[in-house]
């Protein structure tokens, strides 16, 4: 019986060993690496799906692959049939299929045709890319692979140890000997290490084929740090202030109104007059600027960041913002105005924009900044808090804008706007604090300026003949608020829900409600800016303020 059991055990062991041999036997199945003829390998990572074509001996990479894989800021403008690339200091325009290329508006010499179109797809010469961006190009051994490396990337080379079997030199599709292989490498072949995965390493041949070999069969050779001829441009524009600063928006709607602006307001570091407007579908920018205004500001040791508005016209904005040539025209005019009037910056105030135009607005800022910085101009962009409104909030690509602009100014007011269906505060403190916290999740605090209202809304509720109620509002300056309170002998009370003082008054069929902006509410807003260590504050608008506000804002903002 024992002998019989022993025989059965031997048979079972033989079956297991045989099964293991077949299960774990190295695969002899060879498979094709890719159906494409051309390969791109970037930083030793193979991208078989990337599309490369050749014109003569010049490889061209599809524009979408250049933007996604190389992370270049590039876009195609169909109206001008151009490719636009941007960096912190440069704007490149490449006319598709032409030798015509420009950098910051100036003609650019090219050794190759920079861009071509094939089957309605846009391709960029890789040689042009490496001559203007921080990349280095190497051709694969069989010239069907293009290797691109970023500046500073370390290339680690390796070879096989001596005396290896054919199975050990096969480049496999997965990290196991039982996986199919792409090709058998030569004993003396040198290859690049992609990453170490324990028992196996992923490697790339000099022909651009990526796969796995055992870690135990390779020897590391020399490593090389890539140093490109072109270095990455840095956004090293010097910012004007090393303290929390105050911006005063000035609502100026006629040239004559400049005479009432630019007063020497205590503590104001920047004046932002509403001078420039988009006036037509061609991108024309009108101006209300005067040299006397700028001179007065400079004499008070302050700066002028003139505001450029789209006049809140979504249709006009849509006809302009998506066109490279119209964006360039707007930028050209702004730069001419800035030079002519000796401005220190431009404040961009685009509101009520169609959601689909949001990326084009971001592209406008992306193209504006290099020109502005070259001219020494600070660029700030006005935004709203996050909300469900596509036109008033959704179109802003806040994170991207904060990476481009020197400052982002959040208009932290109009919680209850002029035509709001319910009466309420212009900007209750809990509403501001809650929305600011959300905003700081996408915008760095030192990039953000908190907008503060210096006005209040007087809400009037009247009973009408139909039995309903009519609700209207009127914006009041700080002095007008005091006049209203004094006229009716009212005593403001603190509204805990809003963090503001509040008054109400009724007579016959009419009642009034008013949430007040005064030192109490302003101090809380300043404390919020200091708590979050924001870059500063911006007030809308200077004409709404009472005289005592300016020294108060200046002294309280700088307190720790």
């Amino acid at each position: 019986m024992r002998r019989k059991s022993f025989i059965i055990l031997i048979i079972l062991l033989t079956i297991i060993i045989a099964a293991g041999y077949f299960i774990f036997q190295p695969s002899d199945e060879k498979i094709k690496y890719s159906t494409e003829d051309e390969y791109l390998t970037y930083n030793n990572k193979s991208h078989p799906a990337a599309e490369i074509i050749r014109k003569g001996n010049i490889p061209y990479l599809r524009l979408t692959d250049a933007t996604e894989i190389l992370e270049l800021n590039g876009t195609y403008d169909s109206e001008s049939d151009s490719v636009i690339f941007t960096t912190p200091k440069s704007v490149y325009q490449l006319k598709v299929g032409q030798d015509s290329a420009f950098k910051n508006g100036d003609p650019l010499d090219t050794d190759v045709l920079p861009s071509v179109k094939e089957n309605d797809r846009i391709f960029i010469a890789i040689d042009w890319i490496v001559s203007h961006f921080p990349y280095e190009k190497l051709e694969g051994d069989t010239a069907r692979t293009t290797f691109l490396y970023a500046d500073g990337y370390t290339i680690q080379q390796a070879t096989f140890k001596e005396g290896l079997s054919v199975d050990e030199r096969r480049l496999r599709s997965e990290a196991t000997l039982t996986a199919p292989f792409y090709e058998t490498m030569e004993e003396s072949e040198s290859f690049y290490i992609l990453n170490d995965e324990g028992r196996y390493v992923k490697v790339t041949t000099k022909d651009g084929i990526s796969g796995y070999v055992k870690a135990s069969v390779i020897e590391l050779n020399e490593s090389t740090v890539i140093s490109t001829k072109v270095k990455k441009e840095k956004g090293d524009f010097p910012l004007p202030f090393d303290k929390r600063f105050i911006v005063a928006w000035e609502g100026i709607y006629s040239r004559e109104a400049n005479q009432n602006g630019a007063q020497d307001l205590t503590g104001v570091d920047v004046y932002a007059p509403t001078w420039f407007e988009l006036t037509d579908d061609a991108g024309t920018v009108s101006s209300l600027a005067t040299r006397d205004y700028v001179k007065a500001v400079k004499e008070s040791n302050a700066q002028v960041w003139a505001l450029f508005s789209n006049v809140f016209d979504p249709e006009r904005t849509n006809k302009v913002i998506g066109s490279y040539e119209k964006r360039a025209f707007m930028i050209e005019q702004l730069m001419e105005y800035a030079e002519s009037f000796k401005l220190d910056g431009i404040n961009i105030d685009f509101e009520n924009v169609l959601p689909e135009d949001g990326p084009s607005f971001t592209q406008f800022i992306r193209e504006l900044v290099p020109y502005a910085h070259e001219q020494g101009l600070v660029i700030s962009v006005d935004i709203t808090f996050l909300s469900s409104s596509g036109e008033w909030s959704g179109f802003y690509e806040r994170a991207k804008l904060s990476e481009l602009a020197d400052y982002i100014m959040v208009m932290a007011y109009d919680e209850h706007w002029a035509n709001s269906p319910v009466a309420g505060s212009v900007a209750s403190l809990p509403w501001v604090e809650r929305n600011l916290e959300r905003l700081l999740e996408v915008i760095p605090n030192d990039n953000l300026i908190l907008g503060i209202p210096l006005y209040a809304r007087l809400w009037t509720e009247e009973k009408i003949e139909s039995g309903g109620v009519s609700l209207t509002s009127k914006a009041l300056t700080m002095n007008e608020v005091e006049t209203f309170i004094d006229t009716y002998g009212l005593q403001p009370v603190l509204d805990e829900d809003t963090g503001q003082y509040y008054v109400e008054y009724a007579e016959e069929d009419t009642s009034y409600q008013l949430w007040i902006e005064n030192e109490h509410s302003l101090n809380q807003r300043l404390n919020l800016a200091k708590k979050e260590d924001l870059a500063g504050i911006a007030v809308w608008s200077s004409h709404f303020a009472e005289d005592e506000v300016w020294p108060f804002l200046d002294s309280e903002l700088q307190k720790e």
Side-chain angles (χ1 to χ4, degrees):
M1 186 69 179
R2 289 181 178 177
R3 180 179 175 82
K4 184 175 181 182
S5 298
F6 178 74
I7 293 172
I8 293 173
L9 179 60
I10 293 297
I11 292 172
L12 289 173
L13 287 173
T14 302
I15 293 172
I16 291 172
I17 292 170
Y21 172 79
F22 287 106
I23 292 173
F24 297 105
Q25 177 178 316
S27 172
D28 288 327
E29 181 186 1
K30 183 176 182 179
I31 59 176
K32 190 175 179 65
Y33 182 68
S34 172
T35 57
E36 301 293 333
D37 293 328
E38 293 277 348
Y39 302 100
L40 171 69
T41 296
Y42 174 54
N43 285 349
N44 281 350
K45 181 179 180 181
S46 183
H47 293 273
E51 191 172 359
I52 293 179
I53 63 172
R54 285 186 179 265
K55 297 295 181 180
N57 291 323
I58 305 298
Y60 285 77
L61 179 65
R62 190 174 177 182
L63 175 60
T64 53
D65 294 320
T67 58
E68 293 172 8
I69 298 171
L70 304 183
E71 297 183 342
L72 296 177
N73 287 316
T75 186
Y76 173 67
D77 180 70
S78 59
E79 185 175 292
S80 63
D81 196 22
S82 300
V83 176
I84 312 302
F85 285 107
T86 58
T87 68
K89 297 181 180 179
S90 305
V91 179
Y92 296 96
Q93 180 190 16
L94 311 180
K95 291 283 191 176
V96 176
Q98 301 179 30
D99 289 327
S100 181
F102 302 87
K103 178 181 179 180
N104 292 352
D106 297 324
L108 192 65
D109 292 333
T110 60
D111 296 327
V112 297
L113 188 65
S115 62
V116 297
K117 182 184 294 185
E118 187 166 293
N119 297 325
D120 292 325
R121 297 191 295 275
I122 307 300
F123 293 83
I124 310 299
I126 292 178
D127 288 37
W128 187 88
I129 291 175
V130 300
S131 65
H132 293 88
F133 296 95
Y135 302 101
E136 184 172 312
K137 183 192 79 167
L138 297 174
E139 295 272 9
D141 285 349
T142 62
R144 67 172 181 171
T145 299
T146 298
F147 288 87
L148 280 178
Y149 295 101
D151 188 42
Y153 182 80
T154 299
I155 302 176
Q156 177 64 64
Q157 295 193 53
T159 54
F160 286 118
K161 295 178 179 178
E162 295 182 356
L164 299 180
S165 67
V166 169
D167 286 328
E168 291 174 310
R169 289 186 282 107
R170 282 177 170 168
L171 191 62
R172 300 192 179 273
S173 60
E174 297 177 37
T176 172
L177 288 176
T178 61
F181 70 95
Y182 297 123
E183 64 177 44
T184 303
M185 293 189 282
E186 300 296 329
E187 293 181 357
S188 60
E189 186 168 347
S190 177
F191 44 86
Y192 305 124
I193 301 294
L194 291 182
N195 54 282
D196 188 339
E197 301 190 9
R199 292 181 59 213
Y200 285 81
V201 291
K202 191 170 186 180
V203 304
T204 294
T205 70
K206 292 187 176 180
D207 194 29
I209 309 294
S210 298
Y212 296 89
V213 296
K214 272 191 169 184
S216 60
V217 304
I218 67 170
E219 292 180 339
L220 298 181
N221 297 337
E222 73 275 8
S223 62
T224 302
V225 178
I226 295 296
S227 180
T228 58
K229 295 179 181 179
V230 178
K231 300 300 179 181
K232 184 176 182 179
E233 290 185 358
K234 296 180 180 179
D236 53 1
F237 182 75
L239 297 178
F241 304 106
D242 56 5
K243 64 165 189 170
R244 287 187 288 267
F245 60 94
I246 299 175
V247 179
W249 278 303
E250 296 221 286
I252 293 178
Y253 305 107
S254 69
R255 199 174 299 276
E256 293 72 23
N258 284 296
Q259 299 173 10
N260 300 320
Q263 301 174 24
D264 188 2
L265 304 175
T266 302
V268 172
D269 302 286
V270 177
Y271 292 77
T274 57
W275 275 348
F276 305 140
E277 290 186 349
L278 178 62
T279 58
D280 59 30
D281 297 347
T284 304
V285 179
S286 64
S287 170
L288 296 175
T290 65
R291 290 178 177 81
D292 287 343
Y293 181 103
V294 176
K295 180 182 178 182
V297 170
K298 298 296 179 72
E299 288 175 350
S300 67
N301 295 317
Q303 296 192 1
V304 179
W305 298 357
L307 183 147
F308 173 41
S309 169
N310 68 330
V311 295
F312 309 163
D313 187 330
E315 287 76 22
R316 179 179 298 169
T317 305
N318 172 261
K319 293 176 181 177
V320 172
I321 204 70
S323 163
Y324 169 72
E325 292 183 341
K326 292 178 181 179
R327 293 194 302 268
F329 181 43
M330 289 190 292
I331 292 170
E332 179 184 2
Q333 294 169 86
L334 290 173
M335 294 304 99
E336 288 177 352
Y337 286 138
E339 182 177 11
S340 176
F341 292 98
K342 310 301 181 186
L343 304 181
D344 302 290
I346 302 292
N347 175 227
I348 305 299
D349 184 32
F350 274 42
E351 302 179 49
N352 197 20
V353 174
L354 299 176
E356 57 265 32
D357 288 330
S360 294
F361 175 67
T362 303
Q363 183 67 18
F364 170 58
I365 303 301
R366 191 177 282 123
E367 293 164 3
L368 168 65
V369 168
Y371 287 96
H373 283 181
E374 185 177 39
Q375 209 163 301
L377 300 170
V378 177
I379 293 298
S380 57
V381 176
D382 302 340
I383 65 167
T384 60
F385 279 140
L386 292 155
S387 79
S388 59
S389 172
E391 289 79 7
W392 295 98
S393 174
F395 79 92
Y396 293 117
E397 296 181 319
R398 291 169 175 80
K400 292 180 180 179
L401 290 171
S402 70
E403 293 176 354
L404 298 168
D406 300 304
Y407 296 105
I408 300 294
M409 299 191 188
V410 58
M411 299 175 285
Y413 38 81
D414 279 349
E415 175 187 6
H416 295 88
W417 57 101
N419 299 316
S420 172
V422 295
S425 168
V426 168
S428 67
L429 273 299
W431 177 80
V432 173
E433 187 166 11
R434 182 174 63 253
N435 282 284
L436 183 59
E437 287 178 359
R438 292 179 62 198
L439 190 59
L440 286 170
E441 293 176 2
V442 294
I443 296 179
N445 61 306
D446 58 359
N447 185 224
L448 189 61
I449 296 171
L450 180 65
I452 292 178
L454 296 181
Y455 65 98
R457 292 198 186 281
L458 176 63
W459 296 92
T460 303
E461 193 175 89
E462 295 180 280
K463 294 181 181 179
I464 54 181
E465 292 182 0
S466 62
V469 174
S470 168
L471 179 67
T472 59
S473 75
K474 177 184 178 182
L476 299 184
T477 68
M478 298 182 81
N479 286 326
E480 287 172 339
V481 168
E482 290 298 323
T483 299
F484 176 81
I485 293 172
D486 292 343
T487 298
Y488 294 99
L490 305 177
Q491 182 63 45
V493 296
L494 183 62
D495 177 16
E496 299 291 346
D497 291 337
T498 62
Q500 295 172 272
Y501 278 91
Y502 166 83
V503 294
E504 61 182 17
Y505 172 73
E507 56 182 10
E508 297 182 355
D509 293 334
T510 304
S511 62
Y512 303 93
Q513 292 177 286
L514 182 64
W515 284 264
I516 303 168
E517 283 298 331
N518 56 16
E519 287 191 1
H520 173 81
S521 60
L522 291 177
N523 192 46
Q524 292 188 77
R525 300 184 197 283
L526 294 176
N527 287 337
L528 188 56
K530 291 188 288 186
K531 171 190 169 186
E532 300 296 350
D533 198 18
L534 304 185
I537 63 168
V539 294
W540 178 263
S541 89
S542 65
H543 302 305
F544 291 136
E546 57 188 6
D547 293 340
E548 295 80 8
V549 161
W550 304 111
F552 172 78
L553 291 176
D554 181 38
S555 63
E556 293 301 319
L557 184 62
Q558 302 310 325
K559 287 181 181 178
E560 295 299 335

